[in-house]
């Protein structure tokens, strides 16, 4: 009898050199480096080099990669036309990103070339242009023209520049770069696994990445940070309206949500049974960012709400070990950087594009079709008869 591992929990289907998630210990290793070591120090381009080439790049090699990324940022006219149409129809940003990425295959110079070299060139184009798509679409939705990329800026700085049309401060760029590095890769999460499944059929990199974006969009995966921050703002507003204390308001709010069967976004994880180490990295980055922010109190309120949520979750589900995940502090950090809530998940995709493309390269270098089994629970040997004349097939 085939055993069912619901949700594929704990099942290893491949080896990877890209990242290691230790759920019991609360450790994340990316390309050999602890996330705490790598994320706050490295440039995003250095992390991309590490993932794509499996080693730390020499300065001149990373500079060459940065130049390739900068040269690949412009969007083809067909992508811009699609984004304009999507904006006119008020399509959500993650859907616009998914559609926009799909159009990039139209201008692939060698669509039938499945070599690692051609895939690396595609990876560069996808990472570079994903940021341009998100920024251009955000501006189109606001009724503004897209801002052309600035080839003199690094990936993180250029993303912010294309969003706002002005140069960001070094502190804000560092905060974003820390975020991009922190979430660039994370084992066989749902979106990465999706990309690898598609790639394992020897389909193309665009299809794999488009599938991954679709998986990331779901609220149980990459769609959580917007609602997580909205919850904090709601609790703040309720506390202000009732003249009450933030902590007691947070406790009743969370109890109400649990009583309604709702999940608390930014908490819980399939693999981590302790606090997500990425939450710590982003918490420290947020603390630095908010040190001089106008709304410094938001940082303290988020921490206060986190403590209450953890207490209420432990009371409500004592047999579950539900801890803070990366999305709770993602929301705080990206808000402090100046991004609006609708840009949280697309910015996650901008970062994870590095990991997805590295996984596609890794899968295709050592491929075996991923094809799990299912346990059939329907009837066998049912007798077939065609519908009689006049019999309705559907209710
Ligand atoms: N709020 C309330 N209850 C929760 C939460 C939560 N955030 N997380 C888990 N639980 C409960 C479930 O209700 C369930 O309880 P029950 O058995 O009494 O019904 C139990 O814990 C186990 O839930 P599962 O869904 O089986 O656990 P799983 O490991 O599949 O969950 C998941 C992981 C989907 C991330 C879950 O914790 C969740 O929904 N969290 C909120 C969404 C979120 O923050 N997603 C981002 C994750 S990080 C990332 O993807 C980048």
């Amino acid at each position: 009898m085939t055993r069912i591992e619901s949700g594929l929990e704990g099942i290893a289907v491949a080896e990877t050199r890209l990242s290691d998630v230790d759920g019991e210990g609360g450790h994340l290793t990316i390309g050999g480096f602890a996330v705490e070591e790598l994320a706050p120090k490295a440039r995003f381009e250095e992390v991309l080099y590490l993932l794509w080439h499996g080693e730390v790049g020499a300065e001149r090699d990373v500079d060459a990669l940065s130049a390739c990324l900068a040269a690949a940022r412009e969007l083809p006219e067909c992508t811009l036309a699609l984004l304009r149409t999507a904006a006119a129809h008020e399509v959500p940003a993650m859907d616009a990103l998914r559609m926009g990425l799909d159009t990039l295959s139209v201008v692939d110079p060698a669509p039938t070339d499945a070599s690692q070299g051609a895939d690396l060139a595609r990876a560069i184009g996808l990472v570079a242009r994903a940021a341009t798509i998100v920024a251009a679409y955000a501006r189109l939705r606001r009724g503004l023209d897209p801002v052309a990329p600035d080839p003199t800026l690094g990936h993180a700085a250029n993303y912010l520049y294309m969003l706002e049309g002005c140069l960001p401060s070094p502190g804000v760029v560092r905060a974003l770069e820390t975020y991009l590095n922190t979430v660039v890769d994370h084992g066989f999460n749902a979106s990465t696994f999706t990309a690898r499944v598609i790639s394992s059929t020897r389909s193309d990199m665009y299809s794999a990445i488009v599938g991954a974006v679709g998986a990331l969009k779901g609220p149980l995966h990459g769609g959580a940070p917007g609602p997580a921050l909205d919850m904090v703002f709601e609790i703040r507003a309720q506390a202000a309206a009732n003249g009450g204390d933030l902590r007691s308001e947070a406790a009743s709010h969370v109890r109400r949500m649990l009583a309604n069967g709702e999940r608390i976004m930014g908490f819980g994880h399939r693999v981590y049974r302790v606090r997500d180490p990425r939450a710590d990295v982003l918490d420290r980055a947020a603390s630095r960012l908010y040190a001089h922010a106008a709304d410094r109190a938001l940082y303290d309120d988020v921490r206060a709400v986190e403590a209450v949520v953890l207490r209420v979750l432990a009371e409500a589900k004592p047999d579950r070990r539900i801890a803070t995940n990366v999305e709770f502090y993602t929301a705080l950090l990206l808000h402090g950087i100046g991004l609006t809530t609708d840009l949280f998940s697309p910015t996650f995709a901008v970062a994870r594009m590095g990991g997805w493309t590295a996984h596609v390269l890794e899968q295709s270098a050592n491929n075996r079709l991923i094809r799990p089994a299912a346990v059939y629970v329907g009837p066998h040997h049912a007798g077939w008869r065609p519908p009689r004349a006049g019999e309705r097939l559907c209710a």
Side-chain angles (χ1 to χ4, degrees):
M1 174 84 179
T2 309
R3 211 180 112 144
I4 299 178
E5 300 296 344
S6 170
L8 292 181
E9 188 164 354
I11 303 292
V13 297
E15 291 182 339
T16 181
R17 59 167 179 76
L18 298 171
S19 60
D20 180 37
V21 183
D22 170 1
E24 284 296 329
H27 304 297
L28 168 62
T29 302
I30 300 174
F33 298 86
V35 66
E36 302 81 358
E37 172 69 15
L38 185 73
K41 296 179 186 167
R43 288 161 53 204
F44 187 57
E45 285 84 346
E46 291 172 315
V47 175
L48 292 173
Y49 192 97
L50 178 67
L51 292 178
W52 287 341
H53 296 280
E55 60 184 15
V56 176
E59 196 180 344
R60 67 168 190 284
D61 294 331
V62 176
D63 286 349
L65 173 62
S66 305
C68 289
L69 282 160
R73 285 176 184 152
E74 296 276 354
L75 296 182
E77 194 40 59
C78 61
T79 311
L80 279 167
L82 179 278
L83 294 180
R84 287 201 179 91
T85 307
H89 287 82
E90 300 184 359
V91 166
M94 279 297 273
D95 294 329
L97 173 62
R98 195 193 67 236
M99 296 171 193
L101 289 167
D102 222 354
T103 63
L104 299 181
S105 63
V106 174
V107 293
D108 190 302
T112 55
D113 186 349
S115 66
Q116 285 272 301
D119 266 347
L120 185 56
R122 285 182 194 110
I124 290 171
L126 280 158
V127 168
R129 292 183 184 130
T132 316
I133 290 173
V134 174
Y137 190 67
R139 291 184 67 85
L140 289 169
R141 281 296 307 272
R142 283 151 60 196
L144 302 169
D145 282 330
V147 169
D150 180 341
T152 66
L153 298 175
H155 192 71
N158 177 62
Y159 178 53
L160 294 170
Y161 171 72
M162 290 188 298
L163 277 168
E164 291 306 326
C166 54
L167 285 179
S169 73
V172 167
V173 174
R174 184 62 259 172
L176 179 63
E177 200 133 38
T178 299
Y179 170 73
L180 299 178
N181 294 343
T182 300
V183 302
V184 68
D185 196 45
H186 200 243
F188 269 40
N189 59 83
S191 55
T192 299
F193 184 60
T194 303
R196 287 193 77 132
V197 170
I198 295 173
S199 179
S200 83
T201 69
R202 295 201 189 149
S203 183
D204 63 288
M205 189 181 270
Y206 301 102
S207 300
I209 297 307
V210 165
V213 173
L216 186 74
K217 184 181 119 175
L220 298 191
H221 188 9
L229 191 65
D230 289 344
M231 180 185 74
V232 175
F233 283 132
E234 254 178 69
I235 292 169
R236 271 181 140 194
Q238 281 160 359
N242 302 342
D245 161 62
L246 184 87
R247 283 174 184 76
S248 44
E249 202 58 61
S252 8
H253 188 98
V254 174
R255 285 197 185 102
R256 239 184 348 260
M257 286 180 77
L258 292 178
N260 290 339
E262 291 175 58
R263 302 257 169 135
I264 316 300
M265 295 294 142
F267 294 85
H269 198 274
R270 171 58 62 81
V271 183
Y272 291 120
R273 293 294 161 236
V274 294
R275 198 168 193 258
D276 186 332
R278 300 169 298 173
D280 284 333
V281 174
L282 299 186
D283 178 357
R284 280 195 286 277
S287 169
R288 282 191 292 276
L289 189 66
Y290 278 82
H292 308 291
D295 194 4
R296 163 75 204 176
L298 180 61
Y299 176 79
D300 299 325
D301 288 352
V302 163
R303 295 209 60 157
V305 169
E306 178 193 16
V308 173
V309 173
L310 291 173
R311 180 166 50 77
V312 174
L313 278 171
E315 283 163 14
K317 299 186 181 276
D319 51 338
R320 307 276 175 200
R321 290 154 67 195
I322 304 174
T324 314
N325 69 43
V326 64
E327 302 291 46
F328 197 63
Y329 281 94
T330 288
L332 180 65
L333 186 68
L334 295 187
H335 177 79
I337 285 170
L339 302 189
T340 45
T341 314
D342 57 317
L343 284 171
F344 291 176
S345 299
T347 304
F348 189 172
V350 164
R352 190 53 68 81
M353 199 63 63
W356 290 330
T357 50
H359 276 275
V360 171
L361 287 165
E362 191 177 61
Q363 181 69 36
S364 58
N366 186 17
N367 188 44
R368 180 145 200 257
L369 177 71
I370 300 174
R371 205 297 187 191
V375 174
Y376 175 66
V377 293
H380 285 99
H381 311 302
W384 173 259
R385 66 166 178 79
R388 293 189 191 95
E391 190 179 8
R392 294 180 61 187
L393 287 177
C394 308

